[in-house]
Each structure stands twice: as structure tokens, then as C-alpha cells.
Amino acid sequence: MHVQSAESPRPSHAAPSADGTYPNRPMPTRKGKPVIGSTIEFQKDQLGFVQKIHEEYGDVVKTSISLMDWYFVRDPEIIHEINVRQAKTFVKPALAKRIWKLFLGDGVLTADGEVWKRQHDLIKPGFHRHRVEAYGPIMVEYAQQMVQSFTDGEPRDMRHEINNLAIRVLGRTLFAADMDSSADTVYNAMHDISEILVEHINLPLPTPRWWPSKSNRRKIDAIEAIEGVLKRLIADRRCEGTDAGDLLSHLIFARDQDGGLSEAQLRDNGMTLIFAGHETTAHAMTWAWYLLAKHPEVAEKLYQEVHSVCGDQPVNVEHLEQMPYVSQVMKESLRFLPSVWAFMRAPTEDITIKGFTFPKGAAIFISPYVLGRDPRNHPNPEQFTPERWTREYERGLPKGAYVPFAAGPRVCAGQGFAQMEMKLLLATFVQNLVPTLADGFEPDMVPELSMHPGKRGLQCKVVFRDNAPLKPR
């Protein structure tokens, strides 16, 4: 079998006819079992199921899950149409809204239409480039504090450590608050919420707040724990009565032609910021550290770049422009093990793209994880190769083939924040530490709200570099 190099021409996806149109095509369908369709297979192994269904049925396939038809899409051109070119025709599906309702309400992550646009316009200034770059020193300071708390040779769960770090960074940057004492509360609550909300995907009817099951009580307790943290932050800011220049202040005090945000909107968007502002980035960082531990030659090359640019000085935002390999490692990690492993959209009317018709309200499932493993997009996809991410390589990617932050109007508003945080933290870590897993340890891969290593975490051994600036003396 011929194996392509990263520089080899990519095989193409289905091409149109000579006039640029596609004939109407029947929708490939996986029937599964009577009544329940593919529900059990999907529940057992979501990552494996999504990969296998595309391998067996192609780039577009329909199957029944939880008594609903789901449409799995792997074709980059169709994905680009959904995310960008025809974005106005697509919304978050009813299934996703049902899952998120109790946790995130109608915040910017879950709302659609004018409600989404107004909230998005109020939040967007908090992620302008100049403001995000001003957060850089805080990110590095907290990363250094984490490293300084380590002892050479001791075991650490890097999933837990990086999540708590991300929560502390979130508090100082977006909320101008000290969230050190709340980090474990948020981390533990997010674990319960993620686990239970994904279980509820498989239920044909939403679980009401009052339902007396043990798992539902865990979910409500976890949501209320994070609400408690948020309420304290909002109360403190209102008591101060001034805009501290952070995003939370902006949401509390900002006004437009319709006035300010309602209490419910403030709550929903605050909860969204706590979730989206740390959880997916922390798990992306966790997977990057794992991949560096598995590929010591990449970790060493990354260290050499950081050391040549920064020496013993703390990493800063200006250094990043001189460290292209940091960006390449980040991009390859997001391709190989994306924390946002899947997202969903639904059309507001019947729509035909490339000959496939998607009915109004259809749940369309898109997986950046599966896209990253398609050799038509990425030659030798099972190889972790940061060097592939040249300008030429990126220009040659089909639009829609690499969407770790989605794309179009619904692209993650905090994309720039997350990317800068990943690069600064990675550079700070590798400047001081040799990525090392605990002996014999391999993490689980748990696809929930984000893909993470599960309850066992990412067990690592702390190994300081001999000349690490932050090594205990």
C-alpha cells in the first residue's frame, strides 16, 4: 500500500459535474436495530462509532440515535457551506439546546438569531486582540506559579493541574477576580455536569429539574455549585459599583439600545464564560502535554526553540512571533486530539448541499476529530507531525477540513484567547519541564462535552530540566 508523505498531493473529495452542479443523491443510511437504530453502538464507543460509520458509508450518512435521525457529515465542502456560506440557514439543533438548557440557558453558546447576535456583540469586545494580549503576563505568571509548586520526581495529574490553572487564569483575566479558592469547586462540578449531560443525550425526553434520580440530583448540585461561584463574583462587582475593565464588568454595566442584559442573560452568559473560558482550552492543553510526552523528539525541538528565543527569561507575547514551532505544535495537537471533538447544527428549512438533502430541523453531526484523521485532508494522519503546518500546507487544506473552533459567524469568540493561552502555557511548561508520563500510564479518551482523559486523569512524573529557570534550588 502506498503511504503518502506530508508533502504528497491530497486525494480529492467528490467532484461536481462539468457545469459545477451535483445531481441529487440518495442519502446513505445505516439502519441499525429496530426502533433504537444505532443508539447502543453510539453509546458504547462514540469516537469509534463516528469513525467507522464514515469508513463504511462515506462522507454523509444518516442513522437513528435516541429515536431521532442524525446526519453525520465528514465532507469539508458541505461543512464549509454549513458553517460559513449558508450559516444563516443553520442553528443549534433542538437536541443540543435541550442538553445545555439547565446549565447554560440561552447564553451566547446556545442562543440563535437576534438573541445570539445581541449577546455576541456585547461579549465580543472582551476578546479584541489588544485586550487578549494584555492578558498574556497573567497567563505566564500563573503558569510559573504552577510549575514552582512542583517537586522534582513527584507524581502529578496534569489534567487536574492544568484545569485548575485555566480556572485561575479565567478568573483573573475575564472576571478580574481571584478564583483560587473556587478552582476545585468548578473542576469537580464540571466533571459531574459533563458526564451526566452526555448521558442525557440518549434519553428520548428531557429530564426535568425536579426529577428525583441520583444522577439528576448530582447534575443540579453541580450546576448550583458553579452558579454559587458566579453569583459571588457578580455581587462583588456590583458592590464595587465600577467597571474594572474585565468582561464580567462589561456584561454587568454595558448598555445598548435595548438596555442591559437581564438577570437571566447575565447568569447564562456568566455560566457560558466559566465553561467555555477554561474547560475546552484546559483539555486541549492536557492533550498537547500528553502528545509531547509520547514524542520526546518533538518536545526537545520545542524546548530548543523556546530556549533560543527566551533563554531564562519568562515567555511573553512578543516572543511568540519568533517561535513558529510553538504554533505548529498547537495546531497539530488540535488536529490529532481536539478537545472540541464534535459539534452539531440544524437547518431552519429543507436544504440541499452537493446533492444531499437535509430536512428542516435535522441534527447534523460534525467531528473535528474524524476530520483530522481523514488522509484526504492530512496525509499520514496517525503520525504526530507538527512540521506539516507550513503556510503552503494550510493554503492547500480544503475549506472546512480543519475546524477546531468551528467557523463562520459561530466561530468560537474566544479563539484568540485560547490559542494565545495554549502557546504561552506550552512554552512556559517546556522551558522548565520534560513532558513525562507516569511509568506504564496511558490515559483514557472520554468524549463528553469536551474530549478529556477521564477520571484517571493524565498521570505524569515531574521532571525538571537541569537548567530550568524555575527548578527548585
Side-chain angles (χ1 to χ4, degrees), residues 129-186:
R129 181 174 178 178
H130 70 277
R131 182 172 291 219
V132 168
E133 289 181 348
Y135 298 149
I138 296 172
M139 296 173 178
V140 173
E141 176 191 348
Y142 277 17
Q144 289 182 315
Q145 289 177 9
M146 188 189 96
V147 172
Q148 288 172 320
S149 74
F150 292 172
T151 300
D152 205 16
E154 71 173 338
R156 290 277 181 154
D157 175 3
M158 287 300 280
R159 179 197 177 193
H160 190 185
E161 299 294 339
I162 293 173
N163 265 270
N164 279 6
L165 170 61
I167 293 166
R168 296 179 67 222
V169 168
L170 165 79
R172 274 283 300 276
T173 56
L174 301 188
F175 293 167
D178 184 339
M179 287 183 66
D180 292 17
S181 62
S182 303
D184 277 332
T185 298
V186 174

Side-chain angles (χ1 to χ4, degrees), residues 349-366:
E349 59 189 45
D350 292 357
I351 189 168
T352 299
I353 306 174
K354 289 187 72 172
F356 292 109
T357 297
F358 302 94
K360 177 181 178 180
I364 299 174
F365 189 101
I366 298 165

Side-chain angles (χ1 to χ4, degrees), residues 362-390:
I364 299 174
F365 189 101
I366 298 165
S367 174
Y369 176 84
V370 170
L371 284 166
R373 278 161 169 67
D374 189 336
R376 294 171 297 177
N377 304 327
H378 306 284
N380 298 327
E382 296 303 324
Q383 294 182 10
F384 182 69
T385 312
E387 290 80 3
R388 75 172 79 228
W389 290 96
T390 63

Side-chain angles (χ1 to χ4, degrees), residues 379-450:
N380 298 327
E382 296 303 324
Q383 294 182 10
F384 182 69
T385 312
E387 290 80 3
R388 75 172 79 228
W389 290 96
T390 63
R391 289 183 180 179
E392 292 73 24
Y393 186 87
E394 293 192 52
R395 280 198 289 262
L397 272 175
K399 292 179 179 178
Y402 183 71
V403 286
F405 297 95
R410 298 303 296 251
V411 69
C412 173
Q415 176 179 351
F417 180 96
Q419 288 176 319
M420 192 180 77
E421 183 176 16
M422 277 192 73
K423 289 187 282 190
L424 289 173
L425 267 54
L426 269 179
T428 300
F429 292 169
V430 83
Q431 184 185 38
N432 293 279
L433 304 169
V434 179
T436 308
L437 296 175
D439 291 344
F441 181 81
E442 280 294 324
D444 299 318
M445 290 173 57
V446 181
E448 293 180 337
L449 301 183
S450 65

Side-chain angles (χ1 to χ4, degrees), residues 132-372:
V132 168
E133 289 181 348
Y135 298 149
I138 296 172
M139 296 173 178
V140 173
E141 176 191 348
Y142 277 17
Q144 289 182 315
Q145 289 177 9
M146 188 189 96
V147 172
Q148 288 172 320
S149 74
F150 292 172
T151 300
D152 205 16
E154 71 173 338
R156 290 277 181 154
D157 175 3
M158 287 300 280
R159 179 197 177 193
H160 190 185
E161 299 294 339
I162 293 173
N163 265 270
N164 279 6
L165 170 61
I167 293 166
R168 296 179 67 222
V169 168
L170 165 79
R172 274 283 300 276
T173 56
L174 301 188
F175 293 167
D178 184 339
M179 287 183 66
D180 292 17
S181 62
S182 303
D184 277 332
T185 298
V186 174
Y187 175 77
N188 293 328
M190 276 306 314
H191 177 274
D192 288 344
I193 290 168
S194 181
E195 186 177 271
I196 296 166
L197 288 188
V198 170
E199 289 176 4
H200 288 181
I201 290 176
N202 304 313
L203 301 177
L205 295 173
T207 305
R209 192 181 185 98
W210 51 263
W211 190 254
S213 71
K214 184 178 179 180
S215 67
N216 200 51
R217 189 63 252 169
R218 271 179 65 211
K219 177 184 71 176
I220 299 303
D221 287 347
I223 291 172
E224 289 178 348
I226 299 179
E227 283 178 335
V229 172
L230 177 64
K231 286 176 181 177
R232 286 194 295 274
L233 292 171
I234 292 173
D236 288 348
R237 192 56 37 79
R238 281 179 166 157
C239 184
E240 293 165 5
T242 57
D243 186 338
D246 62 298
L247 188 51
L248 181 63
S249 293
H250 183 70
L251 292 179
I252 292 172
F253 299 113
R255 297 292 183 270
D256 59 15
Q257 63 270 22
D258 297 317
L261 293 179
S262 68
E263 288 299 308
Q265 288 174 325
L266 183 57
R267 177 265 180 208
D268 293 348
N269 283 289
M271 295 289 278
T272 298
L273 287 172
I274 290 176
F275 164 65
H278 92 275
E279 211 246 9
T280 52
T281 305
H283 288 139
M285 268 294 307
T286 301
W287 289 123
W289 196 245
Y290 165 71
L291 289 166
L292 289 174
K294 296 294 289 185
H295 299 87
E297 73 287 353
V298 174
E300 179 60 23
K301 182 175 178 178
L302 182 61
Y303 166 71
Q304 292 297 336
E305 179 182 77
V306 173
H307 183 68
S308 68
V309 172
C310 305
D312 292 340
Q313 299 303 307
V315 180
N316 62 45
V317 174
E318 289 71 28
H319 289 146
L320 295 179
E321 293 183 4
Q322 305 169 56
M323 298 191 296
Y325 199 57
V326 175
S327 293
Q328 289 178 307
V329 169
M330 178 195 70
K331 290 174 182 177
E332 180 70 346
S333 180
L334 290 171
R335 175 196 72 82
F336 202 88
L337 290 175
S339 56
V340 181
W341 76 280
F343 58 90
M344 300 180 80
R345 297 287 186 264
T348 56
E349 59 189 45
D350 292 357
I351 189 168
T352 299
I353 306 174
K354 289 187 72 172
F356 292 109
T357 297
F358 302 94
K360 177 181 178 180
I364 299 174
F365 189 101
I366 298 165
S367 174
Y369 176 84
V370 170
L371 284 166

Side-chain angles (χ1 to χ4, degrees), residues 68-82:
M68 294 182 294
D69 286 338
W70 287 26
Y71 295 76
F72 291 82
V73 176
R74 187 183 59 175
D75 185 310
E77 188 175 348
I78 297 178
I79 292 169
H80 187 65
E81 290 285 324
I82 291 170

